[in-house]
Amino acid sequence: MVDAVMTGLRSTGVDSSKLKRMSRLRSGDILFNWVTFAAALMVLVLLGGVIISLIHGSIPAFQTFGLGFLTTQSWNPVTEKFGALAPIYGTVVTSIIALVIAVPVGIGIAIFLTELCPPWLKRPIGVAIELLAGIPSIIYGIWGLFVFAPFFQTTIQPFLIGLFGDVPGLSSVFAGPPYGIGVMTAGIILAIMVLPFITSITRDVFDTVPPVLKEATYGLGCTTAEVVTKVVLPYSRVGVIGGIMLGLGRALGETMAVTFVIGNAHKISASILAPGTTISASIANEFTEAVGDLYTSSLIALGLILFVITFIVLAAARIMLARMNAKAGN
């Protein structure tokens, strides 16, 4: 097609210098296409390599324990009895706690910044949020262990135990001695860590809402709450959910901060105040000490399980967005 165009231009008597310039542009465009294609292909190759490595490394563990590896909480390197149920439980529960806290707070901050905040206050709050996102995870872990956990142990945990101690159902969820560290402590630290990501992305997508839509809604006599719920959130729902999924991905894979404050106990407790563990924390704690192929394979199998959990979460988010768009007629 391009060669035919060049031939046609020559037949019309176009200047040779212009033809050379067009030829260079054509060569540059072809090179650009190949470079971008190679970059996209490299992502798929790297992802495929990671998947193959995880599957290959986890084969001995699944051959030895079968699907019971997913339903057993025993983790004993001495007897080489391994089960992934406790880390899976801790990963899911801490992530849920983090989202329950971070999502409403993050969306509330974004609404305040875009709809209610005085102009002179927007920049300081925005900078503070960005600084929170830039703090290394190990700093969160150290702060959580030496500052937040003792405070949590002496004030909040006794209050929760006393408040829900006589409530059927909730008494077991908030039971036990106040250790300070535990699943709930890890969930709160994760909430603080993912809050800047959810807030920043939500604020940015709120800013993309056309002002004319909000002005028209205000012109009809709607309140700020109605404008947010009827215009801003429906218009930007895809971006908001994307920010939440990004925060969830950070919570699922966080390692160092959780390792400091969760207690690293391979057991499942009904109480969220009790110590526990997560997949990433278990790998970080034990991989350097793993002796034997089965021990190492079990840790790699935990990594494969975390990969599958993340994939399921992202797939569920995609399906939910597709259904929301279908209902909206998009």
Side-chain angles (χ1 to χ4, degrees):
M1 179 67 180
V2 176
D3 293 335
V5 172
M6 298 294 291
T7 303
L9 290 174
R10 290 192 187 96
S11 64
T12 58
V14 177
D15 190 357
S16 60
S17 63
K18 293 183 178 180
L19 289 175
K20 290 180 180 179
R21 186 174 63 183
M22 294 179 65
S23 178
R24 287 197 301 269
L25 292 174
R26 172 175 173 258
S27 300
D29 189 53
I30 293 174
L31 178 62
F32 178 76
N33 289 338
W34 278 107
V35 169
T36 54
F37 175 75
L41 186 62
M42 183 175 64
V43 173
L44 296 178
V45 172
L46 291 174
L47 181 61
V50 170
I51 296 173
I52 293 173
S53 299
L54 289 174
I55 293 175
H56 180 267
S58 61
I59 287 175
F62 283 109
Q63 283 180 340
T64 303
F65 304 111
L67 293 179
F69 183 75
L70 303 175
T71 59
T72 304
Q73 62 173 311
S74 173
W75 190 272
N76 193 331
V78 177
T79 60
E80 291 193 328
K81 299 294 183 181
F82 301 105
L85 186 59
I88 293 173
Y89 171 82
T91 300
V92 173
V93 173
T94 54
S95 299
I96 291 175
I97 293 173
L99 288 188
V100 167
I101 297 172
V103 169
V105 175
I107 294 178
I109 295 173
I111 293 172
F112 175 75
L113 290 176
T114 55
E115 304 296 330
L116 301 170
C117 184
W120 60 270
L121 191 58
K122 283 186 178 182
R123 187 170 182 82
I125 295 179
V127 171
I129 293 171
E130 293 169 0
L131 287 175
L132 282 176
I135 297 176
S137 60
I138 193 170
I139 302 301
Y140 280 107
I142 294 173
W143 174 82
L145 180 62
F146 292 106
V147 178
F148 180 75
F151 169 78
F152 196 62
Q153 180 184 19
T154 57
T155 57
I156 300 178
Q157 281 190 342
F159 170 75
L160 293 175
I161 294 172
L163 180 64
F164 298 106
D166 298 326
V167 179
L170 294 178
S171 59
S172 59
V173 176
F174 296 94
Y179 294 108
I181 59 175
V183 173
M184 187 173 184
T185 306
I188 295 174
I189 297 297
L190 284 177
I192 298 173
M193 296 181 67
V194 304
L195 179 63
F197 297 94
I198 296 175
T199 302
S200 297
I201 294 176
T202 304
R203 179 193 59 188
D204 291 340
V205 297
F206 282 177
D207 285 334
T208 64
V209 178
V212 65
L213 295 180
K214 295 190 286 186
E215 292 169 0
T217 310
Y218 280 121
L220 293 174
C222 295
T223 63
T224 302
E226 290 173 328
V227 171
V228 170
T229 56
K230 304 296 183 182
V231 176
V232 176
L233 284 175
Y235 186 90
S236 57
R237 64 183 181 277
V238 174
V240 173
I241 294 177
I244 294 173
M245 291 300 106
L246 178 62
L248 178 57
R250 175 75 187 272
L252 288 171
E254 178 52 42
T255 304
M256 293 309 301
V258 173
T259 303
F260 272 87
V261 299
I262 198 169
N264 302 305
H266 282 272
K267 62 179 181 180
I268 297 176
S269 175
S271 174
I272 60 176
L273 303 181
T277 189
T278 64
I279 293 175
S280 55
S282 297
I283 296 173
N285 274 326
E286 304 185 32
F287 203 86
T288 56
E289 302 175 358
V291 178
D293 294 338
L294 186 59
Y295 194 179
T296 303
S297 178
S298 298
L299 292 173
I300 296 175
L302 288 181
L304 177 62
I305 293 170
L306 181 60
F307 183 91
V308 172
I309 292 174
T310 305
F311 176 80
I312 292 174
V313 168
L314 294 177
R318 287 286 185 180
I319 294 173
M320 181 174 62
L321 289 175
R323 290 182 176 178
M324 291 173 62
N325 290 331
K327 286 183 179 181
N330 296 333

